[in-house]
């Protein structure tokens, strides 16, 4: 069962895409929604300050942190990347603190700085990238073997893979291209088989 | 505005879904709103309840005041311009506002024409009371819609009326035969392609929030259950007894709008709600503004 964090933001878009790929999904709005048989977790785009606050106040942070630490595959987009990061530029409070990268929030400025681009995400060629008030990864905090850089756009790191994490600053759920979600679904299948 | 820019602007609204956008008048209030979990703030000099009390002409806020709020928070900052006042909108675009609300809360500058929003790069949200109004605003370039409700009253009845009307008109349109859509477009006074979109997708082509009169977590939950994708709260927060607590409760109510037990605990001990004015008691009907 794939869980989609549905506290705030673009969770319906991820749900729609994963269901189209034949996955069973559940929207996680509170502690009791977290399924025992969680085999994948999506951290969605939206406002990271809002989501972080709700994760804490609805008492979900520790439980999800445990699941992430135990190896449950995670797909994190935009705000999700910020929630996972170990460091945030400007010293802002981190959330899961799992992904060894330093992210810069609203790194391209305000909405007028939002843009689209096309680029390769690892072995996925010509992927349409939507950057909405997006963050980017300023630098990785581990060596390149641990944190695999999947995309660099205009000199900025925008997508990485690390252990069970697939994280990016753009929004594959806003496109019709399912290749990144397919990759994530493959990760969750491999994880399920190991259980 | 090119197509991709319009698409990016619609997508920003998608990122706001399931969230609460709060009216704030100072950087301090903006910080309280952000800490309470607001997904964006609306910067304005006076909240609707005070605009109502003060009367006179209400205009776009001082850009210096808006910039102060932009500096104080990391979440998106929106601001209002008067209906039809494209020069105010140009000024808001020049200070890189994240969203412009062409709003009936301010005194309209034009009683016939809305702003041609396709000429701007920044996104616009507009109020609507029915499907025709919503689609006309979208045709003009709005990338987000909200119900008009009746701002500054703390009375939810108009927001409910507008949301129900929009949803029921969408259902009616979706049930029509394709050869009936030409006439539907004529009746609604909107472009055929937008009518076709709603017919096919059973929803507006942009995100639709509730606004106007939301004062309690229960109000927010009501609007979400009626089909709102998020909520604007204007006077309801900073006109209440304990703004920080009420704001945080409304944020949680929007996330868990279908959980009555959680709503019950959220609604406890929030202090005084804004006093509110009944729709029969008010002199200025803001929802009537910009109805063409």
């Amino acid at each position: 069962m794939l869980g989609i964090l549905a506290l705030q933001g673009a969770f319906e878009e991820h749900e729609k895409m994963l269901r189209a790929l034949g996955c069973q999904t559940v929207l996680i709005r509170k502690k009791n929604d977290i399924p025992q048989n969680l085999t994948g977790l999506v951290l969605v785009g939206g406002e990271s300050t809002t989501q972080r606050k709700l994760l804490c106040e609805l008492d979900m942070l520790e439980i999800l942190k445990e699941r992430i630490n135990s190896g449950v595959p995670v797909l994190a987009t935009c705000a999700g990347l910020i929630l996972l990061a170990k460091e945030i530029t400007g010293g802002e409070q981190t959330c899961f603190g799992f992904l060894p990268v330093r992210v810069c929030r609203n790194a391209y400025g305000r909405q007028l700085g939002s843009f689209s681009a096309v680029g390769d995400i690892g072995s996925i060629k010509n992927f349409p990238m939507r950057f909405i008030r997006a963050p980017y990864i300023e630098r990785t905090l581990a060596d390149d073997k641990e944190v695999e850089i999947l995309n660099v756009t205009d000199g900025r790191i925008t997508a990485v893979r690390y252990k069970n994490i697939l994280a990016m600053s753009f929004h594959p759920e806003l496109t019709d291209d399912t290749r990144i979600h397919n990759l994530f679904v493959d990760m969750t299948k491999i994880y399920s088989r190991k259980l | 505005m090119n197509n991709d820019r319009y698409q990016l602007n619609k997508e920003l609204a998608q990122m706001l879904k399931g969230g609460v956008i709060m009216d704030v008048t100072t950087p301090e209030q903006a910080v309280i709103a952000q800490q309470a979990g607001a997904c964006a703030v609306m910067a304005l000099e006076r909240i609707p309840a005070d605009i109502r009390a003060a009367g006179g002409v209400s205009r776009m806020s001082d850009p210096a005041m808006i910039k102060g709020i932009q500096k104080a928070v990391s979440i998106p900052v929106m601001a209002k311009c008067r209906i039809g006042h494209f020069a105010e909108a140009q000024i808001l675009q020049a200070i890189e506002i994240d969203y412009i609300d062409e709003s009936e809360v301010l005194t309209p500058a034009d009683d016939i024409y809305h702003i041609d929003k396709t000429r701007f790069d920044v996104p616009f949200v507009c109020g609507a009371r029915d499907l025709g109004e919503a689609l006309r605003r979208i045709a003009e370039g709005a990338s987000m819609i909200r119900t008009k409700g009746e701002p500054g009253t703390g009375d939810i009845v108009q927001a409910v009326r507008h949301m129900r009307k929009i949803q029921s008109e969408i259902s009616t349109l979706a049930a029509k035969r394709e050869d009936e859509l030409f006439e539907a477009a004529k009746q609604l006074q909107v472009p055929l392609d937008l009518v076709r979109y709603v017919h096919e997708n059973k929803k507006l082509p942009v995100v639709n929030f509730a606004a106007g009169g939301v004062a309690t977590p229960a109000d927010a939950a009501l609007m979400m259950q009626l089909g709102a994708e998020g909520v604007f709260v204007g006077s309801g927060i900073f006109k209440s007894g304990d703004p920080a607590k009420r704001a945080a409760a409304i944020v949680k109510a929007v996330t868990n709008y279908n959980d009555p037990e959680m709503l019950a605990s959220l609604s406890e001990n929030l202090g005084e709600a804004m006093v509110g004015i009944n729709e029969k008691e008010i002199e200025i009907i803001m929802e009537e503004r910009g109805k063409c």
Side-chain angles (χ1 to χ4, degrees):
Chain A
M1 180 66 76
L2 306 184
I4 301 166
L5 193 67
L7 298 173
Q8 188 273 325
F11 45 85
E12 279 169 353
E13 290 78 355
H14 280 288
E15 184 187 37
K16 204 172 152 199
M17 198 165 243
L18 288 169
R19 290 210 168 151
L21 294 177
C23 301
Q24 277 196 308
T25 59
V26 60
L27 295 179
I28 301 174
R29 297 175 189 274
K30 53 177 187 285
K31 204 163 51 169
N32 295 343
D33 294 338
I34 303 170
Q36 276 308 314
N37 59 341
L38 186 74
T39 54
L41 176 66
V42 183
L43 301 176
V44 308
E47 274 309 312
S48 59
T49 51
T50 306
Q51 294 186 24
R52 188 187 67 218
K53 182 186 159 68
L54 288 167
L55 275 169
C56 295
E57 295 202 348
L58 297 172
D59 224 7
M60 297 159 64
L61 183 62
E62 289 308 317
I63 306 174
L64 289 176
K65 207 183 223 175
E66 225 169 78
R67 299 295 183 92
I68 295 170
N69 284 330
S70 75
V72 170
V74 181
L75 172 63
T77 56
C78 197
L81 165 68
I82 297 165
L83 294 181
L84 280 177
K86 263 196 174 148
E87 280 184 22
I88 301 173
T89 305
E92 202 170 309
Q93 200 186 331
T94 57
C95 188
F96 292 113
F98 184 79
L99 181 65
V101 298
R102 182 184 179 87
V103 296
C104 181
R105 283 187 65 201
N106 301 332
Y108 301 92
R110 302 192 165 276
Q111 174 61 7
L112 285 174
S114 293
F115 67 104
S116 64
V118 175
D120 299 345
I121 317 300
S123 59
I124 299 171
K125 300 293 171 205
N126 297 320
F127 194 88
M129 298 182 284
R130 316 289 303 169
F131 294 90
I132 314 292
R133 281 178 49 101
Y136 59 66
I137 295 171
E138 219 169 74
R139 61 194 170 90
T140 62
L141 305 170
D143 65 54
D144 293 352
K145 276 182 200 133
E146 271 197 284
V147 182
E148 185 190 352
I149 295 170
L150 298 179
N151 176 269
V152 177
T153 296
D154 297 336
R156 313 289 193 190
I157 305 169
T158 70
V160 293
R161 187 164 174 180
Y162 167 75
K163 292 184 178 169
N164 50 325
I165 309 288
L166 185 57
M168 59 217 67
S169 62
F170 51 91
H171 295 277
E173 78 282 7
L174 295 178
T175 70
D176 298 326
D177 196 321
T178 59
R179 286 177 293 168
I180 285 177
H181 284 77
N182 272 320
L183 175 59
F184 169 63
V185 172
D186 288 344
M187 287 163 66
T188 66
K189 282 180 182 160
I190 292 167
Y191 176 76
S192 308
R193 266 185 240 130
K194 276 197 244 163
L195 285 182
Chain B
M1 179 170 50
N2 65 31
N3 265 338
D4 194 45
R5 180 55 52 191
Y6 183 59
Q7 192 60 34
L8 290 164
N9 287 343
K10 285 205 291 187
E11 288 167 355
L12 175 59
Q14 284 175 267
M15 295 305 140
L16 300 173
K17 284 193 299 182
V20 181
I21 300 167
M22 301 182 193
D23 278 5
V24 296
T25 58
T26 62
E28 293 74 28
Q29 286 185 353
V31 170
I32 292 172
Q34 177 168 279
Q35 282 170 351
C39 68
V41 290
M42 177 76 68
L44 69 176
E45 257 155 24
R46 283 183 299 201
I47 56 175
D50 291 336
I51 290 174
R52 215 171 253 299
V57 176
S58 180
R59 311 178 177 90
M60 176 190 76
S61 298
D62 182 338
M65 171 266 177
I66 299 170
K67 282 185 188 166
I69 288 172
Q70 286 175 318
K71 273 204 195 99
V73 294
S74 61
I75 55 180
V77 177
M78 304 183 165
K80 292 181 191 291
C81 73
R82 285 179 267 177
I83 289 174
H85 206 315
F86 51 82
E88 282 186 351
Q90 288 161 358
I91 291 168
L92 291 174
Q93 174 161 280
I95 61 168
E96 294 203 21
I97 204 75
D98 290 303
Y99 242 97
I100 296 176
D101 184 359
E102 187 183 15
S103 177
E104 67 283 1
V105 169
L106 306 183
T107 312
D110 194 316
D111 51 10
I112 298 172
Y113 299 105
H114 278 73
I115 296 171
D116 176 0
K117 293 165 276 288
T118 63
R119 289 174 177 272
F120 288 78
D121 284 331
V122 289
F124 281 80
V125 54
C126 287
R129 298 177 304 170
D130 54 39
L131 183 59
E133 266 188 39
L135 294 180
R136 284 195 290 279
R137 298 296 84 80
I138 293 166
E140 292 157 3
S143 47
M144 180 177 183
I145 291 292
R146 54 170 176 76
T147 60
K148 282 182 169 172
E150 191 55 38
T153 60
D155 189 352
I156 197 70
V157 65
Q158 292 91 343
V160 167
R161 196 180 290 150
H162 301 159
M163 187 57 75
R164 278 194 186 272
K165 181 100 188 277
I166 291 173
Q167 301 294 3
S168 90
E169 287 178 319
I170 289 174
S171 304
T172 307
L173 192 55
K176 282 189 189 296
R177 283 166 51 101
E178 263 181 48
D179 61 4
E180 293 168 347
L181 297 182
F182 303 97
E183 177 61 20
K186 220 159 59 184
Q187 298 280 342
L188 289 167
Q189 303 176 39
V190 299
L192 182 61
D193 60 328
L194 291 177
V195 168
R196 285 199 165 123
Y197 181 94
V198 175
H199 176 255
E200 197 173 315
N201 297 281
K202 302 183 176 57
K203 63 192 277 294
L204 290 180
V206 303
V207 166
N208 185 17
F209 269 45
V214 177
T216 66
D219 289 344
L222 175 69
M223 296 313 301
M224 292 299 287
Q225 289 187 36
L226 286 172
E229 297 181 279
V231 171
F232 284 86
V233 187
S235 318
I237 289 173
F238 289 100
K239 275 285 166 194
S240 74
D242 188 344
K245 194 170 178 192
R246 182 168 292 269
I250 293 176
V251 168
K252 283 188 209 131
V254 167
T255 299
N256 281 292
Y257 62 89
N258 263 331
D259 183 342
E261 277 162 31
M262 188 174 313
L263 294 172
S265 70
L266 289 176
S267 303
E268 280 178 17
N269 301 316
L270 289 181
E272 227 168 303
M274 71 174 288
V275 178
I277 323 169
N278 181 286
E279 68 166 333
K280 304 266 170 0
E281 298 165 355
I282 53 181
E283 285 171 9
I284 303 169
I285 307 292
M286 291 176 176
E287 62 154 308
E288 291 288 328
R289 292 170 168 174
K291 61 186 171 185
C292 40

